[in-house]
């Protein structure tokens, strides 16, 4: 743990909002004024001018599935595939349809990488999986449920890979930026923050568990110079709403997107209401490319 010699580390006036003292003494790195571009490869950069799209299924269900998806995405020019081999689930029971593919799933992702040249995002759920992830993942995702798992953040940071830090659905931006600062203090500044929906009294549909906090994207962009991305799929939980939430995220200034897709959504082993099918994904991509130009951004 780093000790900073600063006058204001106590919680004398605790607040949910971010104060000047927070910025100066608790969040100095994450709020530093210099723009940080997160480079994954020569042509994949998260920055003010670029907007990479991360797409793929929820879980790496099978070799066949992940290859089918990767080939389709590649054809559309998508360069980053997501898919989790290690899955945090809200409830401890799994449907008989879904088995966590674990290391075998990572082996399939490895093959996909070699075959398509795509970059891979997978979620790090526990430190014990880190070594295996490092062999394949180009970006580590810290899921919302682990946003404040400080030991996990520290170890992820030490890997030196780019990290997507997802906001917990009950966390303030102050808490999220505190978690981000934990990553930065370990010396890894390849940090990408992700808005993925918050718990809210009203989500306007019984199946929608969370509410995409578009305002958080705007607020974060005002506060920090790290890339901020949006995951409308996990926020709305409802595929028909995802396209418009993608467009609203672009309008809010996001620097990247996570969009869940699946060749046969209703038979997706996890969260079948959430992924777009191939055709729907393609349409969203075409429109997003046009829209992002209006905001001086290029989809990469
Ligand atoms: C996911 O990306 O599949 C996921 C579980 O995300 P979140 O942590 O936002 O729920
Ligand atoms: Mn998911």
């Amino acid at each position: 743990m780093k000790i900073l010699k600063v006058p204001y580390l106590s919680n004398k006036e605790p607040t949910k909002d971010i104060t000047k003292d927070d910025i100066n003494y608790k969040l100095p790195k994450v709020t530093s004024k210099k723009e940080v571009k997160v480079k994954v490869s020569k042509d994949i950069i998260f920055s003010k001018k670029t907007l990479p799209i991360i797409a793929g299924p929820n879980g790496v269900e099978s070799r066949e599935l992940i290859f089918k998806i990767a080939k389709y995405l590649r054809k559309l020019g998508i360069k980053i595939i997501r898919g989790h081999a290690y899955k945090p689930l809200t409830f401890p029971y799994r449907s008989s349809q879904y088995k966590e593919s674990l290391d075998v799933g990572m082996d399939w992702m490895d093959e996909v990488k070699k075959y398509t040249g795509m970059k891979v995002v997978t979620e790090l759920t526990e430190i014990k999986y880190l070594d295996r992830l490092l062999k394949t993942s180009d970006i580590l995702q810290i899921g919302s449920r682990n946003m404040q798992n400080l030991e996990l953040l520290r170890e992820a940071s030490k890997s030196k890979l780019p990290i997507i830090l997802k906001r917990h659905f009950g966390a303030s931006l102050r808490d999220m930026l505190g978690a981000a600062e934990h990553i930065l203090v370990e010396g890894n500044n390849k940090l990408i923050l992700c808005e993925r929906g918050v718990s809210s009294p009203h989500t306007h549909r019984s199946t929608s568990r969370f509410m995409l906090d578009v305002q958080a994207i705007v607020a974060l962009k005002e506060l920090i110079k790290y890339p901020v991305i949006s995951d409308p799929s996990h926020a709305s939980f409802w595929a028909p709403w995802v396209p418009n939430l993608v467009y609203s995220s672009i309008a809010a200034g996001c620097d990247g997107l996570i969009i869940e897709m699946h060749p046969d959504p209703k038979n997706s082993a996890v969260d079948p209401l959430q992924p777009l099918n191939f055709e729907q994904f393609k349409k969203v991509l075409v429109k997003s490319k046009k829209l992002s130009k209006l905001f001086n951004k290029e989809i990469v």
Side-chain angles (χ1 to χ4, degrees):
M1 185 59 56
K2 306 276 185 295
I3 311 284
L4 293 177
K5 287 210 180 89
V6 293
Y8 273 107
L9 281 179
S10 69
N11 247 349
K12 281 191 192 125
E13 293 170 49
T15 168
K16 282 196 297 188
D17 295 325
I18 297 165
T19 62
K20 274 210 174 86
D21 284 340
D22 288 338
I23 290 176
N24 291 334
Y25 303 118
K26 291 178 178 160
L27 305 169
K29 290 183 186 291
V30 74
T31 58
S32 92
K33 294 277 185 292
K34 196 167 170 292
E35 194 209 351
V36 176
K37 298 177 185 176
V38 176
K39 185 171 175 181
V40 181
S41 67
K42 182 164 88 328
D43 50 354
I44 308 173
I45 302 174
F46 292 82
S47 73
K48 228 160 52 182
K49 294 256 178 294
T50 51
L51 201 162
I53 291 189
I54 299 165
N58 204 314
V60 187
E61 294 173 32
S62 68
R63 184 178 181 278
E64 190 194 349
L65 176 92
I66 201 73
F67 261 89
K68 190 170 185 176
I69 291 175
K71 283 182 189 166
Y72 185 73
L73 290 176
R74 195 62 211 154
K75 222 169 57 188
L76 296 180
I78 299 293
K79 299 185 183 72
I80 315 177
I81 187 164
R82 59 154 276 148
H84 303 326
Y86 314 94
K87 283 280 322 158
L89 295 180
T90 303
F91 305 103
Y93 315 108
R94 291 175 193 277
S95 74
S96 53
Q97 202 190 344
Y98 183 69
K99 294 189 184 53
E100 233 177 345
S101 53
L102 302 171
D103 293 359
V104 178
M106 292 309 294
D107 293 344
W108 297 329
M109 279 302 217
D110 241 355
E111 286 185 58
V112 157
K113 259 181 88 152
K114 286 190 186 114
Y115 185 79
T116 62
M118 294 176 86
K119 301 292 176 189
V120 165
V121 178
T122 33
E123 176 161 347
L124 174 67
T125 52
E126 296 186 51
I127 292 172
K128 68 180 180 198
Y129 298 132
L130 183 57
D131 282 344
R132 178 62 195 89
L133 253 65
L134 289 182
K135 291 189 192 143
T136 306
S137 280
D138 301 282
I139 303 175
L140 296 178
Q141 173 174 313
I142 301 288
S144 51
R145 288 157 189 82
N146 271 314
M147 187 196 85
Q148 286 182 314
N149 183 339
L150 305 183
E151 212 184 321
L152 196 69
L153 298 182
R154 271 197 291 278
E155 292 306 313
S157 178
K158 285 184 200 155
S159 77
K160 303 288 177 215
L161 282 183
I163 297 172
I164 294 177
L165 177 66
K166 284 189 144 188
R167 178 182 179 202
H168 185 271
F169 30 87
S172 63
L173 295 189
R174 188 174 187 259
D175 288 339
M176 186 198 207
L177 294 183
E181 192 79 14
H182 273 279
I183 292 174
L184 298 176
V185 103
E186 283 308 322
N188 182 350
N189 79 337
K190 292 181 213 135
L191 175 68
I192 299 160
L193 299 174
C194 180
E195 162 56 31
R196 49 78 70 213
V198 288
S199 298
S200 150
H202 306 288
T203 56
H204 321 309
R205 220 196 123 83
S206 58
T207 54
S208 291
R209 283 162 73 192
F210 306 106
M211 165 92 82
L212 184 69
D213 186 358
V214 176
Q215 199 160 317
I217 302 171
V218 182
L220 280 170
K221 298 288 300 178
E222 188 178 76
L223 275 165
I224 66 168
K225 299 279 180 276
Y226 283 84
V228 176
I229 68 172
S230 173
D231 177 351
S233 306
H234 282 85
S236 71
F237 221 69
W238 179 237
W241 289 1
V242 167
N244 286 312
L245 295 178
V246 164
Y247 309 140
S248 64
S249 297
I250 295 172
C254 76
D255 306 307
L257 284 154
I258 297 178
I259 304 175
E260 214 169 275
M261 46 90 74
H262 192 283
D264 182 15
K266 65 180 182 315
N267 284 312
S268 166
V270 195
D271 301 340
L273 301 179
Q274 172 175 307
L276 300 181
N277 67 27
F278 281 12
E279 258 324 289
Q280 291 163 338
F281 179 79
K282 190 174 166 182
K283 280 193 189 139
V284 169
L285 181 64
V286 170
K287 229 177 181 168
S288 296
K289 280 185 179 168
K290 287 188 194 151
L291 183 64
S292 56
K293 286 209 177 87
L294 270 180
F295 293 90
N296 299 319
K297 290 276 225 187
E298 191 191 347
I299 295 214
V300 296

